Amino acid sequence: MIKQNNNYLIMKNFTKEKIIAILKDNTQNEWLFSLADEIRKENVGDEVHLRGLIEFSNICKRTCKYCGLRCENKEIDRYRIQPDDIIKYSQKAVEMGYKTIVLQSGEDEYYSCDVMCEIIKGIKNLDVALTLSIGERSFDDYKAFKDAGADRYLLRIETTDKDLYKQMHPYMDFDNRIRCLKDLKTLGYELGTGCLVGLPNQTVESLADDILFFNKIGADMVGIGPFIPHPNTPLKDFKTGDFTLALKVMALTRIIMKDINIPATTAMETLNPNGRIIALQSGANVVMPNVTTREYRAKYEIYPGKICVNEEPSQCRHCIEAKIKSIGRIISKTKGFHKTC
Ligand code: 5AD
Ligand code: FES
């Protein structure tokens, strides 16, 4: 497996110092990406898992400084998709061949525990895996969602640097976010987390901590994306995150965590027209095509320039399938659980 007699290769244990050294050194990036690709192939094979993403509400009570959905953004046209319609769109996604549905929204209390459970049960009747990405909730809510049939949960830590976390989320509590991640793990969800790369004041040292954190918390999935400044947020004048650095964080996560699921994120494609394919060739094995109908897509503007806002779900499916096949990879027919589970 080891291609070159390179210093980085002989280290089994990735210490923080070694990760920092790799993140700072741009002379061996191609080698790093191909090593991650090789480790991906050995551990999770050539299959790419497609997860159908439904962005069902852009209403959010939070004020994350980077996010276009933050409640202080008055420029955005807010929407909520009703439970029956969410189930209907899920059904369409299943008919298109999706084996996993991902339900994502802002933190919107309209979807109470009972309402969510109703949606979860409706979708689980379709014989698909279900991932939730609806933010911080109580242990009891997470338990009810699990009992109703939810399989996975995505909740990015965003950054493990507590000071930066406070700057980015002045009214949120880092410890509660950790509590959520631990509760989800305890309850038996497949746990997804991840971080942003390129936030103002973020250091490579803290990115190294993020990678080690993903491993320590036992993440089954890790999503990493570059920060993209949104014009209607307090971070509008800050620099866009670096695509290559985000790719390196992702590749290192693959090298260290080996068999987890790693999406080629939409934010990567927003910065580079071939971003998802490059990510799939640098450690990623999952893509999350949007299956939300066109009328809502542009309104779910977490960051500007989001891809596929003018497409319908079937167009996205065909487009990404063709791209994946063009690099010799296979569309998975399974639900794509983390294999150690
Ligand atoms: N740029 C890139 N990613 C963002 N997210 C939120 N705002 C932005 C932005 N401006 C990411 C967060 C969140 C995920 C759903 O979208 O990491 O967890
Ligand atoms: Fe909605 Fe951050 S702005 S969770």
Side-chain angles (χ1 to χ4, degrees):
M1 182 198 102
I2 293 172
K3 281 180 182 164
Q4 298 171 28
N5 183 15
N6 186 296
N7 268 347
Y8 298 147
L9 289 174
I10 41 181
M11 53 193 194
K12 283 251 157 38
N13 293 321
F14 276 75
T15 61
K16 181 172 172 182
E17 288 64 37
K18 285 172 185 166
I19 297 172
I20 294 168
I22 297 173
L23 289 175
K24 285 187 172 166
D25 173 9
N26 276 321
T27 65
Q28 312 210 42
N29 289 351
E30 287 317 311
W31 161 81
L32 183 74
F33 299 143
S34 64
L35 178 65
D37 193 41
E38 204 175 322
I39 290 180
R40 182 272 308 156
K41 192 175 170 75
E42 269 181 19
N43 290 275
V44 294
D46 281 338
E47 288 193 357
V48 175
H49 301 287
L50 297 182
R51 324 286 202 197
L53 174 68
I54 302 181
E55 298 161 334
F56 66 92
S57 164
N58 68 356
I59 297 176
C60 190
K61 66 178 182 189
R62 304 283 188 191
T63 56
C64 305
K65 287 231 170 109
Y66 44 79
C67 185
L69 304 192
R70 64 201 308 274
C71 62
E72 287 170 9
N73 178 11
K74 306 293 179 213
E75 304 301 311
I76 168 175
D77 186 6
R78 304 277 176 176
Y79 71 87
R80 276 186 183 122
I81 303 182
Q82 290 307 306
D84 284 353
D85 289 330
I86 298 174
I87 297 167
K88 195 177 80 194
Y89 295 140
S90 302
Q91 165 93 48
K92 287 197 175 150
V94 171
E95 284 162 12
M96 257 179 261
Y98 288 99
K99 308 286 178 212
T100 294
I101 301 295
V102 182
L103 292 186
Q104 190 173 84
S105 68
E107 292 205 17
D108 182 355
E109 287 173 5
Y110 173 84
Y111 302 88
S112 63
C113 184
D114 287 348
V115 171
M116 278 314 301
C117 286
E118 184 198 326
I119 299 168
I120 293 165
K121 286 179 191 152
I123 295 177
K124 286 303 287 183
N125 278 335
L126 305 169
D127 184 29
V128 270
L130 177 59
T131 306
L132 301 178
S133 176
I134 61 172
E136 296 182 19
R137 296 269 182 145
S138 65
F139 179 90
D140 289 347
D141 279 10
Y142 288 149
K143 180 166 188 328
F145 302 158
K146 187 82 185 59
D147 292 343
D151 302 285
R152 311 184 180 118
Y153 206 102
L154 304 178
L155 185 74
R156 287 188 180 173
I157 189 70
E158 313 293 2
T159 173
T160 56
D161 175 338
K162 285 193 180 191
D163 287 341
L164 181 58
Y165 191 89
K166 198 82 225 152
Q167 290 168 41
M168 293 296 115
H169 317 95
Y171 308 111
M172 287 171 76
D173 177 5
F174 182 82
D175 293 335
N176 192 52
R177 202 141 183 107
I178 299 284
R179 191 270 307 157
C180 289
L181 292 171
K182 289 188 171 159
D183 283 354
L184 291 161
K185 195 77 195 163
T186 305
L187 285 162
Y189 283 91
E190 279 207 347
L191 182 66
T193 189
C195 66
L196 284 161
V197 175
L199 288 169
N201 300 328
Q202 192 177 34
T203 61
V204 285
E205 286 75 9
S206 86
L207 288 170
D209 284 330
D210 294 350
I211 297 170
L212 293 170
F213 170 82
F214 304 149
N215 199 22
K216 192 163 144 226
I217 197 93
D220 300 287
M221 315 174 272
V222 175
I224 289 150
F227 159 66
I228 302 169
H230 188 293
N232 301 324
T233 65
L235 303 186
K236 64 178 164 39
D237 295 325
F238 284 88
K239 230 174 74 219
T240 300
D242 183 62
F243 176 80
T244 305
L245 183 59
L247 203 62
K248 288 177 76 176
V249 173
M250 192 201 78
L252 277 162
T253 303
R254 167 63 71 202
I255 292 166
I256 294 169
M257 298 188 69
K258 299 201 168 31
D259 66 0
I260 61 165
N261 283 321
I262 298 186
T265 57
T266 309
M268 292 217 184
E269 188 113 339
T270 300
L271 292 194
N272 182 319
N274 209 23
R276 287 181 299 178
I277 290 301
I278 295 170
L280 284 173
Q281 294 177 310
S282 312
N285 68 322
V286 171
V287 179
M288 294 165 61
N290 202 327
V291 296
T292 318
T293 47
R294 204 170 120 180
E295 66 176 301
Y296 301 113
R297 287 188 181 207
K299 296 178 185 167
Y300 202 85
E301 197 187 46
I302 295 177
Y303 48 80
K306 233 180 91 187
I307 57 162
C308 309
V309 288
N310 292 317
E311 265 74 46
E312 286 292 359
S314 64
Q315 292 171 290
C316 283
R317 170 96 198 185
H318 294 133
C319 158
I320 195 68
E321 268 203 39
K323 285 189 184 180
I324 291 167
K325 287 177 183 160
S326 78
I327 56 164
R329 302 279 280 278
I330 305 153
I331 310 289
S332 173
K333 293 192 167 63
T334 74
K335 289 179 180 152
F337 284 99
H338 178 198
K339 71 178 187 186
T340 57
C341 287

